[in-house]
Amino acid sequence: TDLARQLHPDRYAAETVDIVDLANETFDKVRAAWDSVDTPDKRQKYIDHVILGKPTEEEEAMETVRSYMEAEAEFKKGAAAFNAGRISSAHALFQSARDKVPDELEFQVYLAYTTFNLNRKSDPEMANTALQNLKDLLDENQRQERQLDGGWVLLGRAYRERGQHEAAKRCLVQALRINASNPDATRELRRLEAARTEAEESKKGLFGKLFGRKKKKKKKKAR
């Protein structure tokens, strides 16, 4: 305010044109400076950004967008590796995506499944923890608008890999309820049915051998 008074153009009306122009230019700069800090909120933003070097709200928003785009790119690479059967590589990429955007449930779901898959034989305790985490994430997802049918497919795969075929089937059916055209769910159901048929055939073969031996023994006794 003091500078505005000192530099007001009316005070320099009798001066040369150069002095008047300089006064006008400087006065405009002072007025612009005042406009940027004329409220407590503006002053605090100026202090935070210009003096303390904190990012502005716009810069923070852009950083969030940038982080999400990077995380999405990492996740897509992970999905490609996952579909190619490179679970370890996929796990590292899912981890990177989750670290960049911790709140994205889809990243967490795939990370939980690959953690389960990589540890189910070598570290059962960690695998169980990862499986429980996957179930908790899907429970949380049910309260969201966007439903992760792919997450239910992953949970179905996990149950199938543990030999829990009925639980696996329920998960895959849930995936198809969310998205009837999910090809992974359909493929997993066929794989599950094949595994069940194979198990039944194996049982039949075992019973056949056992009963066959008993019949042979009876025939020998009859002779």
Side-chain angles (χ1 to χ4, degrees), residues 107-124:
F107 301 164
Q108 296 182 58
V109 161
Y110 275 81
L111 179 61
Y113 172 76
T114 51
T115 300
F116 162 80
N117 184 279
L118 291 171
N119 291 280
R120 63 191 180 93
K121 293 181 180 178
S122 59
D123 191 340

Side-chain angles (χ1 to χ4, degrees), residues 153-198:
V153 174
L154 295 176
L155 186 56
R157 282 183 61 163
Y159 280 132
R160 175 178 60 77
E161 289 161 353
R162 295 183 67 169
Q164 297 174 254
H165 292 175
E166 287 303 318
K169 184 177 180 180
R170 287 194 296 271
C171 293
L172 297 171
V173 169
Q174 176 63 17
L176 290 172
R177 285 199 189 104
I178 297 170
N179 178 12
S181 61
N182 186 309
D184 295 328
T186 303
R187 184 175 61 251
E188 281 297 321
L189 277 172
R190 285 199 298 265
R191 187 177 294 175
L192 185 63
E193 188 60 34
R196 181 180 297 174
T197 301
E198 184 180 345

Side-chain angles (χ1 to χ4, degrees), residues 8 23 52 57 62 83 89 161 176-177 179 192 200 214:
H8 197 281
L52 301 180
E57 291 179 359
M62 288 301 296
N83 292 331
S89 297
E161 289 161 353
L176 290 172
R177 285 199 189 104
N179 178 12
L192 185 63
E200 289 175 355
K214 288 180 179 180

Side-chain angles (χ1 to χ4, degrees), residues 22-204:
L22 181 60
N24 285 332
E25 181 183 345
T26 311
F27 179 80
D28 288 342
K29 289 181 179 180
V30 170
R31 184 168 55 189
W34 173 247
D35 287 343
S36 68
V37 294
D38 63 350
T39 67
D41 184 56
K42 287 182 179 180
R43 279 196 292 277
Q44 189 59 53
K45 287 182 178 179
Y46 182 89
I47 291 169
D48 289 342
H49 181 57
V50 178
I51 298 176
L52 301 180
K54 295 180 180 179
T56 63
E57 291 179 359
E58 292 80 6
E59 289 171 340
E60 287 180 344
M62 288 301 296
E63 178 62 23
T64 299
V65 170
R66 186 188 64 79
S67 294
Y68 190 87
M69 290 178 67
E70 288 181 356
E72 185 69 21
E74 294 283 276
F75 177 75
K76 287 180 179 178
K77 290 179 184 176
F82 181 82
N83 292 331
R86 302 194 306 273
I87 305 299
S88 183
S89 297
H91 177 76
L93 288 162
F94 293 148
Q95 178 80 58
S96 177
R98 196 286 308 271
D99 290 346
K100 286 182 172 64
V101 184
D103 296 334
E104 177 54 58
L105 279 188
E106 188 172 24
F107 301 164
Q108 296 182 58
V109 161
Y110 275 81
L111 179 61
Y113 172 76
T114 51
T115 300
F116 162 80
N117 184 279
L118 291 171
N119 291 280
R120 63 191 180 93
K121 293 181 180 178
S122 59
D123 191 340
E125 184 176 351
M126 181 175 287
N128 288 335
T129 300
L131 184 61
Q132 184 60 52
N133 186 30
L134 177 56
K135 290 190 285 187
D136 291 343
L137 290 167
L138 290 174
D139 285 342
E140 182 179 350
N141 179 235
Q142 291 187 65
R143 296 188 291 274
Q144 297 181 332
E145 183 177 352
R146 180 188 170 218
Q147 295 290 293
L148 298 175
D149 51 301
W152 287 100
V153 174
L154 295 176
L155 186 56
R157 282 183 61 163
Y159 280 132
R160 175 178 60 77
E161 289 161 353
R162 295 183 67 169
Q164 297 174 254
H165 292 175
E166 287 303 318
K169 184 177 180 180
R170 287 194 296 271
C171 293
L172 297 171
V173 169
Q174 176 63 17
L176 290 172
R177 285 199 189 104
I178 297 170
N179 178 12
S181 61
N182 186 309
D184 295 328
T186 303
R187 184 175 61 251
E188 281 297 321
L189 277 172
R190 285 199 298 265
R191 187 177 294 175
L192 185 63
E193 188 60 34
R196 181 180 297 174
T197 301
E198 184 180 345
E200 289 175 355
E201 291 293 334
S202 178
K203 285 181 181 179
K204 288 179 181 177

